[in-house]
Amino acid sequence: MRKWLLVLVSGMAIVLLSACGGSSKKDEGTQEVIDKIIERNTEEKFSYTEDDFSFLIYYDKDTKLYLVDSWIPFKGEPNKFDRKYQVNLFKDNLETYRIDSQFDDDKQAGNYEVVYKSGQFAD
């Protein structure tokens, strides 16, 4: 009886952990968002890869908008500055939030779910 209970609890924990907190796997839209942010932040003297950034990406299925909390590189140093973005792939629009509280307000106002975590957010 104890073995079955342990298996049941372990199975529930795995399902719960995998359902919460996003994923390290990207779909096509998420990758496009990442590529746009990397392109926006690439400097002439430095060539950055995705490994130089950290991403926490939220998506709202109703509005089809992405909100991105990211750490971007600067002058060759990875994960140097925190930047927040709103991305609309249908309008090919990438906006930078100037005020963190506006990002938080928009996130609270929508139906956003974490769809991807990487780098410093992967923990």
Side-chain angles (χ1 to χ4, degrees), residues 12-36:
M12 289 174 48
I14 290 170
V15 169
L16 182 62
L17 289 174
S18 63
C20 296
S23 172
S24 61
K25 296 180 183 177
K26 299 172 273 199
D27 65 14
E28 186 176 315
T30 303
Q31 186 62 56
E32 190 174 342
V33 167
I34 290 168
D35 292 344
K36 285 183 178 301

Side-chain angles (χ1 to χ4, degrees), residues 2-105:
R2 277 186 116 178
K3 288 181 183 180
W4 285 105
L5 183 59
L6 181 60
V7 170
L8 179 63
V9 170
S10 297
M12 289 174 48
I14 290 170
V15 169
L16 182 62
L17 289 174
S18 63
C20 296
S23 172
S24 61
K25 296 180 183 177
K26 299 172 273 199
D27 65 14
E28 186 176 315
T30 303
Q31 186 62 56
E32 190 174 342
V33 167
I34 290 168
D35 292 344
K36 285 183 178 301
I37 292 171
I38 292 172
E39 181 181 330
R40 159 99 39 109
N41 290 286
T42 296
E43 301 169 28
E44 198 171 298
K45 292 182 179 182
F46 302 98
S47 178
Y48 298 121
T49 67
E50 193 172 325
D51 292 336
D52 296 314
F53 294 76
S54 294
F55 295 102
L56 177 56
I57 302 177
Y58 302 88
Y59 181 67
D60 184 330
K61 292 178 185 174
D62 299 330
T63 62
K64 296 185 175 29
L65 291 175
Y66 291 89
L67 295 181
V68 182
D69 188 353
S70 65
W71 283 89
I72 64 168
F74 183 71
K75 294 189 176 184
E77 187 176 334
N79 298 303
K80 182 70 174 173
F81 294 113
D82 183 26
R83 291 285 187 270
K84 292 177 174 55
Y85 301 94
Q86 182 184 79
V87 183
N88 183 333
L89 294 178
F90 294 103
K91 293 183 180 180
D92 195 28
N93 189 23
L94 171 68
E95 294 181 25
T96 304
Y97 282 92
R98 304 275 185 236
I99 302 170
D100 285 353
S101 62
Q102 182 64 47
F103 175 87
D104 295 336
D105 290 347

